[in-house]
Amino acid sequence: MARKIQQNVILETQLYNALDKHEFKVFYQAQVDTSNNNNIVGLEALVRWISPELGMKYPNYFLPLSEMTGFIVLIDYYVLREGMKQIVEWKKNNFNVPRISFNISSRHLKEKIFIEKLKNLLHETSCRAEWIELEITESHVMEDLDEAIDILIALRKLGLTVAIDDFGTGYTSLAYLEKLPIDKLKIDKLFVTDIDKKKINQSIVKAIIDIGKSMGLKIIAEGVETSKEKTYLLDIGCHLIQGYLYYKPMPAGEIIKELKRIKDDTF
């Protein structure tokens, strides 16, 4: 236990130093609309820690401790600022990126100044609210439903899109779902993997799609890695796809190359 505490203290110090030295980098994973020539309809911003000593570290290495200590708030704002600046640059260069989605911690749902900070970031970066989507996990929303609803209403009033991430893994009842002011549901990878072989997952995903569509919500499946998974999802009416089958997470430079290729193919 003492060793674990010491390791956490060291890691926390490293994380603060990494933030000061701009070692956190934003990668982007494209989301496609299979019903419209597989056009890119959005990008999800994903953080990576590029450490000179440790190499590339993925979120599962540092986010659990960051969430526990509150450092996650600083990471979220860093990623939001970098992503907002990036989409403004892309828009200036006429690259068709409809929006970028960002995962945010439940801690923001308890921050009274969160909306004000978002307004400041949008102003600071000259980013339009309609270019931004915020993803909040289902379990985080349910921690304090009334408080979450107030924040979600305020976010949508700003003009941002709101998505419930990892849908199906929490405990949202249909009565609560109807109350949530949201625009999109993301089907968790847990249900998507090998969905063509798993009857129970097929039933769950089809139910999510039917419920979401009946409420006028967009539905996107994440973690799609095989053509069989994609085919099954298309057959049951899910046309928005995110996953390695189409695009892996890439740094901004590689995304630009892909956007240029798409742009050149269009003309």
Side-chain angles (χ1 to χ4, degrees):
M1 189 182 296
R3 190 183 308 117
K4 182 64 176 176
I5 291 171
Q6 184 181 28
Q7 289 172 346
N8 284 346
V9 170
I10 292 171
L11 178 56
E12 187 177 5
T13 302
Q14 290 174 324
L15 290 174
Y16 277 99
N17 289 336
L19 190 63
D20 288 339
K21 296 175 182 177
H22 300 281
E23 292 176 5
F24 290 105
K25 305 298 179 185
V26 183
F27 280 49
Y28 301 90
Q29 187 173 31
Q31 302 165 336
V32 303
D33 184 351
T34 58
S35 67
N36 187 19
N37 298 317
N38 296 330
N39 283 344
I40 293 177
V41 292
L43 300 169
E44 181 178 0
L46 301 164
V47 67
R48 302 288 186 262
W49 177 17
I50 315 295
S51 167
E53 296 81 22
L54 304 174
M56 181 185 290
K57 291 297 180 183
Y58 292 87
N60 59 354
Y61 178 79
F62 57 88
L63 285 192
L65 179 65
S66 300
E67 188 75 53
M68 185 172 69
T69 62
F71 183 73
I72 188 68
V73 172
L74 298 180
I75 292 180
D76 282 353
Y77 283 126
Y78 177 85
V79 174
L80 278 165
R81 181 179 287 105
E82 293 301 306
M84 287 180 183
K85 289 192 296 186
Q86 187 63 74
I87 196 170
V88 168
E89 180 182 331
W90 282 331
K91 292 287 187 180
K92 285 180 179 177
N93 287 285
N94 297 316
F95 291 123
N96 185 26
V97 180
R99 65 174 54 85
I100 296 179
S101 62
F102 300 85
N103 297 283
I104 63 167
S105 165
S106 62
R107 287 177 177 267
H108 296 293
L109 301 182
K110 300 176 175 63
E111 262 194 323
K112 297 185 184 300
I113 59 171
F114 179 51
I115 301 299
E116 200 59 39
K117 283 186 175 181
L118 275 177
K119 288 180 181 177
N120 292 338
L121 279 176
L122 290 168
H123 177 74
E124 172 192 329
T125 59
S126 301
C127 181
R128 294 184 185 176
E130 61 263 32
W131 297 344
I132 302 301
E133 177 176 283
L134 296 185
E135 297 183 9
I136 306 168
T137 62
E138 179 185 1
S139 57
H140 287 170
V141 169
M142 296 305 296
E143 286 177 7
D144 189 329
L145 186 64
D146 292 335
E147 192 172 45
I149 287 174
D150 289 341
I151 291 288
L152 296 180
I153 290 172
L155 291 174
R156 294 185 80 199
K157 282 183 178 178
L158 266 183
L160 284 77
T161 303
V162 178
I164 296 296
D165 196 12
D166 298 344
F167 189 76
T169 61
Y171 47 91
T172 303
S173 74
L174 295 183
Y176 289 141
L177 182 61
E178 186 271 334
K179 294 179 181 179
L180 295 178
I182 58 175
D183 304 281
K184 183 185 292 184
L185 296 178
K186 290 194 79 175
I187 302 172
D188 188 72
K189 184 181 188 296
L190 174 70
F191 300 115
V192 171
T193 301
D194 293 330
I195 190 173
D196 52 298
K197 305 172 188 174
K198 298 178 179 178
K199 296 290 185 183
I200 184 66
N201 285 9
Q202 293 172 9
S203 299
I204 291 171
V205 171
K206 189 174 188 313
I208 291 172
I209 293 171
D210 290 344
I211 291 167
K213 286 188 173 181
S214 72
M215 297 176 63
L217 303 176
K218 291 184 178 180
I219 313 293
I220 182 168
E222 60 181 343
V224 180
E225 297 184 356
T226 70
S227 57
K228 288 184 177 179
E229 292 169 357
K230 179 199 76 171
T231 299
Y232 186 82
L233 289 165
L234 299 190
D235 287 345
I236 59 175
C238 181
H239 298 284
L240 299 180
I241 300 289
Q242 179 180 340
Y244 275 55
L245 180 63
Y246 287 96
Y247 296 99
K248 65 179 182 179
M250 296 181 280
E254 290 185 33
I255 285 288
I256 289 175
K257 291 178 184 177
E258 184 60 25
L259 293 173
K260 284 181 177 177
R261 183 189 67 78
I262 294 171
K263 190 176 179 183
D264 291 343
D265 288 347
T266 304
F267 293 100

mmCIF file with all atom_site columns, all heavy atoms in Angstrom, residues 99 122 128-132 153-161:
data_model
loop_
_atom_site.group_PDB
_atom_site.id
_atom_site.type_symbol
_atom_site.label_atom_id
_atom_site.label_alt_id
_atom_site.label_comp_id
_atom_site.label_asym_id
_atom_site.label_entity_id
_atom_site.label_seq_id
_atom_site.pdbx_PDB_ins_code
_atom_site.Cartn_x
_atom_site.Cartn_y
_atom_site.Cartn_z
_atom_site.occupancy
_atom_site.B_iso_or_equiv
_atom_site.pdbx_formal_charge
_atom_site.auth_seq_id
_atom_site.auth_comp_id
_atom_site.auth_asym_id
_atom_site.auth_atom_id
_atom_site.pdbx_PDB_model_num
ATOM 1   N N   . ARG A 1 99  ? -17.516 19.048 -36.604 1.00 0.00 ? 99  ARG A N   1
ATOM 2   C CA  . ARG A 1 99  ? -17.365 19.305 -35.170 1.00 0.00 ? 99  ARG A CA  1
ATOM 3   C C   . ARG A 1 99  ? -16.323 18.379 -34.564 1.00 0.00 ? 99  ARG A C   1
ATOM 4   O O   . ARG A 1 99  ? -15.957 17.356 -35.153 1.00 0.00 ? 99  ARG A O   1
ATOM 5   C CB  . ARG A 1 99  ? -18.704 19.145 -34.431 1.00 0.00 ? 99  ARG A CB  1
ATOM 6   C CG  . ARG A 1 99  ? -19.287 17.756 -34.431 1.00 0.00 ? 99  ARG A CG  1
ATOM 7   C CD  . ARG A 1 99  ? -20.529 17.693 -33.549 1.00 0.00 ? 99  ARG A CD  1
ATOM 8   N NE  . ARG A 1 99  ? -21.514 18.683 -33.898 1.00 0.00 ? 99  ARG A NE  1
ATOM 9   C CZ  . ARG A 1 99  ? -22.430 18.521 -34.854 1.00 0.00 ? 99  ARG A CZ  1
ATOM 10  N NH1 . ARG A 1 99  ? -22.456 17.404 -35.548 1.00 0.00 ? 99  ARG A NH1 1
ATOM 11  N NH2 . ARG A 1 99  ? -23.303 19.457 -35.122 1.00 0.00 ? 99  ARG A NH2 1
ATOM 12  N N   . LEU A 1 122 ? -14.325 29.564 -25.728 1.00 0.00 ? 122 LEU A N   1
ATOM 13  C CA  . LEU A 1 122 ? -14.860 29.811 -27.066 1.00 0.00 ? 122 LEU A CA  1
ATOM 14  C C   . LEU A 1 122 ? -14.454 31.197 -27.561 1.00 0.00 ? 122 LEU A C   1
ATOM 15  O O   . LEU A 1 122 ? -14.054 31.367 -28.724 1.00 0.00 ? 122 LEU A O   1
ATOM 16  C CB  . LEU A 1 122 ? -16.384 29.684 -27.051 1.00 0.00 ? 122 LEU A CB  1
ATOM 17  C CG  . LEU A 1 122 ? -16.948 28.272 -26.853 1.00 0.00 ? 122 LEU A CG  1
ATOM 18  C CD1 . LEU A 1 122 ? -18.442 28.318 -26.560 1.00 0.00 ? 122 LEU A CD1 1
ATOM 19  C CD2 . LEU A 1 122 ? -16.677 27.393 -28.070 1.00 0.00 ? 122 LEU A CD2 1
ATOM 20  N N   . ARG A 1 128 ? -16.662 28.556 -32.646 1.00 0.00 ? 128 ARG A N   1
ATOM 21  C CA  . ARG A 1 128 ? -18.116 28.605 -32.554 1.00 0.00 ? 128 ARG A CA  1
ATOM 22  C C   . ARG A 1 128 ? -18.626 27.417 -31.750 1.00 0.00 ? 128 ARG A C   1
ATOM 23  O O   . ARG A 1 128 ? -18.115 26.301 -31.878 1.00 0.00 ? 128 ARG A O   1
ATOM 24  C CB  . ARG A 1 128 ? -18.739 28.578 -33.946 1.00 0.00 ? 128 ARG A CB  1
ATOM 25  C CG  . ARG A 1 128 ? -18.437 29.797 -34.791 1.00 0.00 ? 128 ARG A CG  1
ATOM 26  C CD  . ARG A 1 128 ? -19.173 29.708 -36.113 1.00 0.00 ? 128 ARG A CD  1
ATOM 27  N NE  . ARG A 1 128 ? -18.818 30.798 -37.004 1.00 0.00 ? 128 ARG A NE  1
ATOM 28  C CZ  . ARG A 1 128 ? -19.265 30.918 -38.247 1.00 0.00 ? 128 ARG A CZ  1
ATOM 29  N NH1 . ARG A 1 128 ? -20.092 29.992 -38.748 1.00 0.00 ? 128 ARG A NH1 1
ATOM 30  N NH2 . ARG A 1 128 ? -18.900 31.934 -39.009 1.00 0.00 ? 128 ARG A NH2 1
ATOM 31  N N   . ALA A 1 129 ? -19.642 27.654 -30.959 1.00 0.00 ? 129 ALA A N   1
ATOM 32  C CA  . ALA A 1 129 ? -20.184 26.598 -30.095 1.00 0.00 ? 129 ALA A CA  1
ATOM 33  C C   . ALA A 1 129 ? -20.699 25.415 -30.901 1.00 0.00 ? 129 ALA A C   1
ATOM 34  O O   . ALA A 1 129 ? -20.566 24.262 -30.480 1.00 0.00 ? 129 ALA A O   1
ATOM 35  C CB  . ALA A 1 129 ? -21.306 27.169 -29.223 1.00 0.00 ? 129 ALA A CB  1
ATOM 36  N N   . GLU A 1 130 ? -21.262 25.672 -32.092 1.00 0.00 ? 130 GLU A N   1
ATOM 37  C CA  . GLU A 1 130 ? -21.840 24.579 -32.877 1.00 0.00 ? 130 GLU A CA  1
ATOM 38  C C   . GLU A 1 130 ? -20.773 23.643 -33.459 1.00 0.00 ? 130 GLU A C   1
ATOM 39  O O   . GLU A 1 130 ? -21.104 22.587 -33.996 1.00 0.00 ? 130 GLU A O   1
ATOM 40  C CB  . GLU A 1 130 ? -22.721 25.120 -34.021 1.00 0.00 ? 130 GLU A CB  1
ATOM 41  C CG  . GLU A 1 130 ? -21.998 25.988 -35.019 1.00 0.00 ? 130 GLU A CG  1
ATOM 42  C CD  . GLU A 1 130 ? -22.144 27.481 -34.736 1.00 0.00 ? 130 GLU A CD  1
ATOM 43  O OE1 . GLU A 1 130 ? -22.255 27.849 -33.554 1.00 0.00 ? 130 GLU A OE1 1
ATOM 44  O OE2 . GLU A 1 130 ? -22.158 28.261 -35.707 1.00 0.00 ? 130 GLU A OE2 1
ATOM 45  N N   . TRP A 1 131 ? -19.495 24.012 -33.322 1.00 0.00 ? 131 TRP A N   1
ATOM 46  C CA  . TRP A 1 131 ? -18.417 23.134 -33.780 1.00 0.00 ? 131 TRP A CA  1
ATOM 47  C C   . TRP A 1 131 ? -17.988 22.156 -32.689 1.00 0.00 ? 131 TRP A C   1
ATOM 48  O O   . TRP A 1 131 ? -17.126 21.316 -32.922 1.00 0.00 ? 131 TRP A O   1
ATOM 49  C CB  . TRP A 1 131 ? -17.204 23.957 -34.197 1.00 0.00 ? 131 TRP A CB  1
ATOM 50  C CG  . TRP A 1 131 ? -17.440 24.883 -35.356 1.00 0.00 ? 131 TRP A CG  1
ATOM 51  C CD1 . TRP A 1 131 ? -18.479 24.851 -36.247 1.00 0.00 ? 131 TRP A CD1 1
ATOM 52  C CD2 . TRP A 1 131 ? -16.623 25.987 -35.744 1.00 0.00 ? 131 TRP A CD2 1
ATOM 53  N NE1 . TRP A 1 131 ? -18.361 25.862 -37.164 1.00 0.00 ? 131 TRP A NE1 1
ATOM 54  C CE2 . TRP A 1 131 ? -17.229 26.584 -36.881 1.00 0.00 ? 131 TRP A CE2 1
ATOM 55  C CE3 . TRP A 1 131 ? -15.443 26.539 -35.250 1.00 0.00 ? 131 TRP A CE3 1
ATOM 56  C CZ2 . TRP A 1 131 ? -16.677 27.686 -37.516 1.00 0.00 ? 131 TRP A CZ2 1
ATOM 57  C CZ3 . TRP A 1 131 ? -14.889 27.638 -35.884 1.00 0.00 ? 131 TRP A CZ3 1
ATOM 58  C CH2 . TRP A 1 131 ? -15.508 28.212 -37.011 1.00 0.00 ? 131 TRP A CH2 1
ATOM 59  N N   . ILE A 1 132 ? -18.582 22.276 -31.510 1.00 0.00 ? 132 ILE A N   1
ATOM 60  C CA  . ILE A 1 132 ? -18.128 21.510 -30.343 1.00 0.00 ? 132 ILE A CA  1
ATOM 61  C C   . ILE A 1 132 ? -19.228 20.571 -29.840 1.00 0.00 ? 132 ILE A C   1
ATOM 62  O O   . ILE A 1 132 ? -20.386 20.963 -29.720 1.00 0.00 ? 132 ILE A O   1
ATOM 63  C CB  . ILE A 1 132 ? -17.699 22.451 -29.200 1.00 0.00 ? 132 ILE A CB  1
ATOM 64  C CG1 . ILE A 1 132 ? -16.577 23.388 -29.673 1.00 0.00 ? 132 ILE A CG1 1
ATOM 65  C CG2 . ILE A 1 132 ? -17.258 21.656 -27.975 1.00 0.00 ? 132 ILE A CG2 1
ATOM 66  C CD1 . ILE A 1 132 ? -15.336 22.671 -30.167 1.00 0.00 ? 132 ILE A CD1 1
ATOM 67  N N   . ILE A 1 153 ? -28.658 21.507 -19.917 1.00 0.00 ? 153 ILE A N   1
ATOM 68  C CA  . ILE A 1 153 ? -29.511 22.554 -20.492 1.00 0.00 ? 153 ILE A CA  1
ATOM 69  C C   . ILE A 1 153 ? -28.686 23.791 -20.830 1.00 0.00 ? 153 ILE A C   1
ATOM 70  O O   . ILE A 1 153 ? -28.816 24.377 -21.912 1.00 0.00 ? 153 ILE A O   1
ATOM 71  C CB  . ILE A 1 153 ? -30.655 22.913 -19.515 1.00 0.00 ? 153 ILE A CB  1
ATOM 72  C CG1 . ILE A 1 153 ? -31.660 21.761 -19.429 1.00 0.00 ? 153 ILE A CG1 1
ATOM 73  C CG2 . ILE A 1 153 ? -31.353 24.194 -19.961 1.00 0.00 ? 153 ILE A CG2 1
ATOM 74  C CD1 . ILE A 1 153 ? -32.711 21.947 -18.353 1.00 0.00 ? 153 ILE A CD1 1
ATOM 75  N N   . ALA A 1 154 ? -27.797 24.166 -19.911 1.00 0.00 ? 154 ALA A N   1
ATOM 76  C CA  . ALA A 1 154 ? -26.953 25.341 -20.130 1.00 0.00 ? 154 ALA A CA  1
ATOM 77  C C   . ALA A 1 154 ? -25.999 25.138 -21.309 1.00 0.00 ? 154 ALA A C   1
ATOM 78  O O   . ALA A 1 154 ? -25.757 26.065 -22.094 1.00 0.00 ? 154 ALA A O   1
ATOM 79  C CB  . ALA A 1 154 ? -26.160 25.646 -18.857 1.00 0.00 ? 154 ALA A CB  1
ATOM 80  N N   . LEU A 1 155 ? -25.474 23.920 -21.449 1.00 0.00 ? 155 LEU A N   1
ATOM 81  C CA  . LEU A 1 155 ? -24.570 23.621 -22.566 1.00 0.00 ? 155 LEU A CA  1
ATOM 82  C C   . LEU A 1 155 ? -25.290 23.749 -23.897 1.00 0.00 ? 155 LEU A C   1
ATOM 83  O O   . LEU A 1 155 ? -24.761 24.321 -24.861 1.00 0.00 ? 155 LEU A O   1
ATOM 84  C CB  . LEU A 1 155 ? -24.010 22.197 -22.421 1.00 0.00 ? 155 LEU A CB  1
ATOM 85  C CG  . LEU A 1 155 ? -23.030 21.955 -21.267 1.00 0.00 ? 155 LEU A CG  1
ATOM 86  C CD1 . LEU A 1 155 ? -22.673 20.474 -21.174 1.00 0.00 ? 155 LEU A CD1 1
ATOM 87  C CD2 . LEU A 1 155 ? -21.757 22.780 -21.441 1.00 0.00 ? 155 LEU A CD2 1
ATOM 88  N N   . ARG A 1 156 ? -26.501 23.241 -23.960 1.00 0.00 ? 156 ARG A N   1
ATOM 89  C CA  . ARG A 1 156 ? -27.251 23.310 -25.217 1.00 0.00 ? 156 ARG A CA  1
ATOM 90  C C   . ARG A 1 156 ? -27.685 24.744 -25.523 1.00 0.00 ? 156 ARG A C   1
ATOM 91  O O   . ARG A 1 156 ? -27.765 25.139 -26.695 1.00 0.00 ? 156 ARG A O   1
ATOM 92  C CB  . ARG A 1 156 ? -28.454 22.381 -25.167 1.00 0.00 ? 156 ARG A CB  1
ATOM 93  C CG  . ARG A 1 156 ? -28.030 20.905 -25.108 1.00 0.00 ? 156 ARG A CG  1
ATOM 94  C CD  . ARG A 1 156 ? -29.217 19.983 -25.182 1.00 0.00 ? 156 ARG A CD  1
ATOM 95  N NE  . ARG A 1 156 ? -29.689 19.825 -26.544 1.00 0.00 ? 156 ARG A NE  1
ATOM 96  C CZ  . ARG A 1 156 ? -30.899 19.373 -26.853 1.00 0.00 ? 156 ARG A CZ  1
ATOM 97  N NH1 . ARG A 1 156 ? -31.761 19.057 -25.903 1.00 0.00 ? 156 ARG A NH1 1
ATOM 98  N NH2 . ARG A 1 156 ? -31.261 19.229 -28.106 1.00 0.00 ? 156 ARG A NH2 1
ATOM 99  N N   . LYS A 1 157 ? -27.940 25.535 -24.485 1.00 0.00 ? 157 LYS A N   1
ATOM 100 C CA  . LYS A 1 157 ? -28.272 26.946 -24.708 1.00 0.00 ? 157 LYS A CA  1
ATOM 101 C C   . LYS A 1 157 ? -27.085 27.696 -25.313 1.00 0.00 ? 157 LYS A C   1
ATOM 102 O O   . LYS A 1 157 ? -27.264 28.650 -26.074 1.00 0.00 ? 157 LYS A O   1
ATOM 103 C CB  . LYS A 1 157 ? -28.697 27.604 -23.383 1.00 0.00 ? 157 LYS A CB  1
ATOM 104 C CG  . LYS A 1 157 ? -30.122 27.283 -22.967 1.00 0.00 ? 157 LYS A CG  1
ATOM 105 C CD  . LYS A 1 157 ? -30.506 28.019 -21.695 1.00 0.00 ? 157 LYS A CD  1
ATOM 106 C CE  . LYS A 1 157 ? -31.959 27.725 -21.309 1.00 0.00 ? 157 LYS A CE  1
ATOM 107 N NZ  . LYS A 1 157 ? -32.337 28.412 -20.035 1.00 0.00 ? 157 LYS A NZ  1
ATOM 108 N N   . LEU A 1 158 ? -25.875 27.237 -24.950 1.00 0.00 ? 158 LEU A N   1
ATOM 109 C CA  . LEU A 1 158 ? -24.670 27.832 -25.526 1.00 0.00 ? 158 LEU A CA  1
ATOM 110 C C   . LEU A 1 158 ? -24.555 27.513 -27.016 1.00 0.00 ? 158 LEU A C   1
ATOM 111 O O   . LEU A 1 158 ? -23.855 28.194 -27.756 1.00 0.00 ? 158 LEU A O   1
ATOM 112 C CB  . LEU A 1 158 ? -23.422 27.291 -24.819 1.00 0.00 ? 158 LEU A CB  1
ATOM 113 C CG  . LEU A 1 158 ? -22.832 28.072 -23.647 1.00 0.00 ? 158 LEU A CG  1
ATOM 114 C CD1 . LEU A 1 158 ? -21.568 27.396 -23.160 1.00 0.00 ? 158 LEU A CD1 1
ATOM 115 C CD2 . LEU A 1 158 ? -22.549 29.504 -24.037 1.00 0.00 ? 158 LEU A CD2 1
ATOM 116 N N   . GLY A 1 159 ? -25.211 26.422 -27.441 1.00 0.00 ? 159 GLY A N   1
ATOM 117 C CA  . GLY A 1 159 ? -25.138 26.001 -28.836 1.00 0.00 ? 159 GLY A CA  1
ATOM 118 C C   . GLY A 1 159 ? -24.299 24.764 -29.056 1.00 0.00 ? 159 GLY A C   1
ATOM 119 O O   . GLY A 1 159 ? -24.092 24.343 -30.199 1.00 0.00 ? 159 GLY A O   1
ATOM 120 N N   . LEU A 1 160 ? -23.805 24.158 -27.973 1.00 0.00 ? 160 LEU A N   1
ATOM 121 C CA  . LEU A 1 160 ? -23.012 22.944 -28.083 1.00 0.00 ? 160 LEU A CA  1
ATOM 122 C C   . LEU A 1 160 ? -23.918 21.721 -28.254 1.00 0.00 ? 160 LEU A C   1
ATOM 123 O O   . LEU A 1 160 ? -25.060 21.725 -27.805 1.00 0.00 ? 160 LEU A O   1
ATOM 124 C CB  . LEU A 1 160 ? -22.141 22.741 -26.839 1.00 0.00 ? 160 LEU A CB  1
ATOM 125 C CG  . LEU A 1 160 ? -20.887 23.600 -26.698 1.00 0.00 ? 160 LEU A CG  1
ATOM 126 C CD1 . LEU A 1 160 ? -21.241 25.013 -26.263 1.00 0.00 ? 160 LEU A CD1 1
ATOM 127 C CD2 . LEU A 1 160 ? -19.918 22.998 -25.699 1.00 0.00 ? 160 LEU A CD2 1
ATOM 128 N N   . THR A 1 161 ? -23.376 20.682 -28.885 1.00 0.00 ? 161 THR A N   1
ATOM 129 C CA  . THR A 1 161 ? -24.052 19.392 -28.968 1.00 0.00 ? 161 THR A CA  1
ATOM 130 C C   . THR A 1 161 ? -23.647 18.554 -27.761 1.00 0.00 ? 161 THR A C   1
ATOM 131 O O   . THR A 1 161 ? -22.498 18.609 -27.323 1.00 0.00 ? 161 THR A O   1
ATOM 132 C CB  . THR A 1 161 ? -23.661 18.656 -30.261 1.00 0.00 ? 161 THR A CB  1
ATOM 133 O OG1 . THR A 1 161 ? -23.983 19.481 -31.374 1.00 0.00 ? 161 THR A OG1 1
ATOM 134 C CG2 . THR A 1 161 ? -24.401 17.336 -30.393 1.00 0.00 ? 161 THR A CG2 1
#
